[in-house]
Amino acid sequence: MNFTSNKNFEVKVFFVYEGQGLDMLTQETLEYAQKQLLFKGKAGQIYSHLGPRTENKILVGLGKKEALTTNILRQAGHDAGAELNKHKVIKASIHKITHPDMDTFGFAQYLAEGFMQNDYQFDRYKEKPQPKTLKLLSFEGYKDTEGLEESLTEIVNVMDGVSMAKDMVNLPPNELTPETMAMLAQQELGKIGVSVEIFGEEWIKEQGMDAYMAVADGSKNRPRFIQLSYLPLGEEVPAVALVGKGLTYDTGGYALKPAASMRTMKCDMGGSASVFGTIYALAKNQIQANVVGIVAAAENMISGNAMRNDDIVSSMKGLSIEIGNTDAEGRLTLADALYYAATQVNSEWIIDIATLTGAAVVALGDHTTAAITNNDDLLAKIQASAEASGEYVWQLPSYPEMRKQIKGEFTDLVNVTGRMGGAITAGLFLEEFVEKKPWVHLDIAGPAYTKTGWGYLHKGGTGIPVKTLYNFLKNRG
Ligand code: BES
Ligand code: ZN
Ligand code: ZN
């Protein structure tokens, strides 16, 4: 689907505030619509008048002007796109609408995002894919068409990054292994000028990443450590390190998950997918911010080489870790990835993104990312970007009393003891490896994947939190 400006197509979309005069309708249609109480402009309402010898208009409600949010706009764009596709429309024009408190181009971007969220589908395994009909949308009535088209290009690039992350999560684990994930990153990011380095197990062992290897050893699909460098400011300028959990599948290991909880564990590389998608969007839009992406990709399986509960392993930092539960594997891979990001990368800030704990979902539900930090200012910046992106990030406390839950009896650390405050103790475990650099941990176990779909997100991978990370890094640049 493409966007353009000021092309007058036959089908027109009008976004309408509740209570606003429907002066875009002919008197006859207006009377009909009102008499039938078909359309008042409430958020979520749609009135379409399409077909031969009609006005070919679609009205999409935005609700009260005072109550407008960016997510209402995204949803409205999504719903308008769905309606146009339902009627097999190929091209349509969007009547210009603004809001006194919103940047005009930003307004168009939110709508465009909604159309693109609707356009996304993962149909490559279907015998007969049913492509959407809507191919071209024109934003009408803009004088500064250059400014508009620049904004549209920006959001298209961001959404391409979001779709890349969704695709990677949706790919089945028999196809997306650590090796193929690395190759895919190489392919997609290498061609837009991002440096992609891929290291195999020999290198991983040389680094002393024993905690990571303990997880990786259970699978015949061997690990890949992936480092992406996007350094438009030059190597000397410290980068933001984005560290993504990259478990291409999580069976739980010997602490095997029950079948129902194992289902959807292909999403356990959602953190790394968001790192790839974010760096894609930054590079395509030539954002001036140095970023290094780190993914310690592995698969958590069962075999004669798999780790056991009770094993004791070392780590790149040298701390010993007792395996309380093989299903708490993410923090083992991240321990080494974070320590590497803190000590081997010219990094100023570290952000990790991980489908880390079911406890985060129990605490905050399916839609909200749980955050833990050692630096409230850094988290505040990320939360502001989340807000602008229509994504939800909520801080969990990390009081010192809880640290004793990750101290080992016979070792320096233990990966799990009890269930209480599980999302917090997981975060505290990670904090041990960031060497006091400003750090934020984003637990996306809830929002990375949706079984049911919600709002403008379809079933499957959501691409969360690509938009948040992109906006955060854009504002920094
Ligand atoms: N990958 C899971 C966490 C997860 C749960 C992601 C639900 C997405 C949706 C993680 O590796 C895990 O299994 N965590 C355990 C930790 C427990 C053993 C302390 C959990 O949450 O049950
Ligand atoms: Zn697990
Ligand atoms: Zn996991």
Side-chain angles (χ1 to χ4, degrees):
M1 198 183 55
N2 288 304
F3 298 105
T4 181
S5 60
N6 297 336
K7 298 240 165 44
N8 212 337
F9 298 130
E10 210 172 297
V11 177
K12 302 219 173 355
V13 182
F14 293 84
F15 292 97
V16 183
Y17 294 116
E18 186 175 350
Q20 172 190 316
L22 298 179
D23 49 2
M24 70 284 291
L25 288 181
T26 57
Q27 195 56 31
E28 192 188 0
T29 313
L30 176 64
E31 275 167 24
Y32 174 76
Q34 284 177 340
K35 201 161 46 200
Q36 307 293 322
L37 298 177
L38 287 170
F39 184 85
K40 293 183 164 176
K42 287 187 190 302
Q45 267 187 335
I46 289 203
Y47 174 73
S48 37
H49 203 224
L50 294 173
R53 290 187 299 279
T54 70
E55 293 167 359
N56 282 309
K57 284 177 179 166
I58 290 188
L59 310 186
V60 185
L62 295 176
K64 295 226 162 68
K65 203 170 193 168
E66 320 78 80
L68 189 71
T69 64
T70 62
N71 264 348
I72 289 176
L73 288 176
R74 293 182 184 94
Q75 187 71 53
H78 171 277
D79 296 352
E83 184 75 8
L84 289 165
N85 278 303
K86 192 172 99 189
H87 294 281
K88 306 274 184 276
V89 174
I90 297 163
K91 299 174 189 175
S93 302
I94 299 167
H95 186 81
K96 185 176 176 185
I97 167 173
T98 57
H99 190 279
D101 304 333
M102 255 186 224
D103 171 66
T104 318
F105 295 143
F107 197 102
Q109 282 186 323
Y110 300 130
L111 291 176
E113 180 194 329
F115 281 103
M116 289 193 73
Q117 295 278 14
N118 175 67
D119 194 51
Y120 178 81
Q121 49 189 5
F122 185 73
D123 54 8
R124 66 185 78 176
Y125 291 93
K126 295 274 193 196
E127 186 194 5
K128 296 190 185 98
Q130 300 194 319
K132 308 227 163 166
T133 57
L134 185 62
K135 290 284 175 269
L136 189 58
L137 275 167
S138 169
F139 283 81
E140 278 186 10
Y142 289 80
K143 285 202 195 79
D144 179 1
T145 49
E146 212 171 294
L148 173 73
E149 296 207 357
E150 246 170 54
S151 303
L152 292 173
T153 303
E154 182 191 21
I155 193 68
V156 166
N157 288 334
V158 172
M159 293 311 293
D160 284 346
V162 169
S163 299
M164 181 197 289
K166 290 181 184 178
D167 275 348
M168 282 186 156
V169 167
N170 289 334
L171 278 168
N174 54 335
E175 300 237 345
L176 193 87
T177 62
E179 185 192 356
T180 57
M181 184 161 77
M183 278 162 42
L184 200 56
Q186 170 92 271
Q187 210 179 62
E188 296 299 317
L189 291 148
K191 72 179 177 213
I192 56 167
V194 176
S195 135
V196 183
E197 292 166 277
I198 301 170
F199 302 101
E201 62 182 296
E202 217 168 288
W203 181 93
I204 299 168
K205 283 181 191 154
E206 269 165 32
Q207 302 296 308
M209 297 180 168
D210 292 0
Y212 170 29
M213 277 312 296
V215 178
D217 270 339
S219 175
K220 80 171 186 7
N221 292 317
R222 304 309 294 153
R224 291 291 185 279
F225 187 95
I226 309 161
Q227 179 165 348
L228 312 171
S229 305
Y230 173 65
L231 305 171
L233 306 177
E235 286 183 8
E236 316 73 46
V237 178
V240 175
L242 299 180
V243 180
K245 175 173 172 181
L247 265 291
T248 58
Y249 202 66
D250 180 11
T251 65
Y254 275 102
L256 191 64
K257 287 180 185 294
S261 352
M262 200 185 300
R263 193 82 165 97
T264 75
M265 278 304 138
K266 66 173 182 178
C267 81
D268 217 16
M269 34 57 68
S272 54
S274 76
V275 171
F276 299 138
T278 301
I279 294 180
Y280 178 90
L282 292 167
K284 281 290 267 189
N285 284 329
Q286 295 177 18
I287 298 299
Q288 296 302 300
N290 274 4
V291 182
V292 171
I294 306 281
V295 171
E299 190 182 31
N300 192 20
M301 299 282 282
I302 288 175
S303 78
N305 295 323
M307 63 180 168
R308 317 157 188 82
N309 299 337
D310 290 351
D311 275 1
I312 293 178
V313 301
S314 186
S315 57
M316 187 181 182
K317 182 171 174 179
L319 294 180
S320 61
I321 304 168
E322 186 170 14
I323 310 299
N325 190 317
T326 61
D327 198 10
E329 82 299 335
R331 66 197 75 179
L332 299 170
T333 63
L334 287 166
D336 286 336
L338 285 167
Y339 186 73
Y340 179 89
T343 62
Q344 308 299 308
V345 172
N346 182 13
S347 59
E348 185 179 19
W349 296 339
I350 302 175
I351 303 170
D352 77 73
I353 309 97
T355 47
L356 202 62
T357 65
V361 194
V362 173
L364 300 181
D366 288 329
H367 310 112
T368 304
T369 297
I372 305 266
T373 187
N374 61 3
N375 189 304
D376 287 340
D377 292 338
L378 178 56
L379 178 56
K381 290 194 181 81
I382 292 174
Q383 282 184 297
S385 301
E387 170 112 25
S389 312
E391 297 178 337
Y392 309 131
V393 176
W394 194 264
Q395 184 174 12
L396 298 179
S398 51
Y399 300 118
E401 283 79 354
M402 295 191 76
R403 278 176 208 282
K404 67 172 187 298
Q405 285 190 48
I406 56 160
K407 297 288 177 214
E409 185 71 37
F410 312 114
T411 52
D412 302 315
L413 296 170
V414 57
N415 77 337
V416 188
T417 45
R419 292 172 61 226
M420 299 301 147
I424 298 172
T425 50
L428 291 173
F429 184 94
L430 300 183
E431 191 183 354
E432 299 284 330
F433 297 91
V434 300
E435 304 308 279
K436 303 216 166 13
K437 283 197 173 172
W439 155 82
V440 168
H441 158 61
L442 299 174
D443 191 334
I444 56 166
Y449 192 90
T450 168
K451 280 189 194 175
T452 53
W454 48 280
Y456 48 79
L457 297 168
H458 298 175
K459 287 177 190 172
T462 61
I464 289 174
V466 169
K467 291 184 287 164
T468 297
L469 295 171
Y470 172 84
N471 283 321
F472 166 73
L473 288 156
K474 179 184 166 189
N475 294 337
R476 179 167 196 258

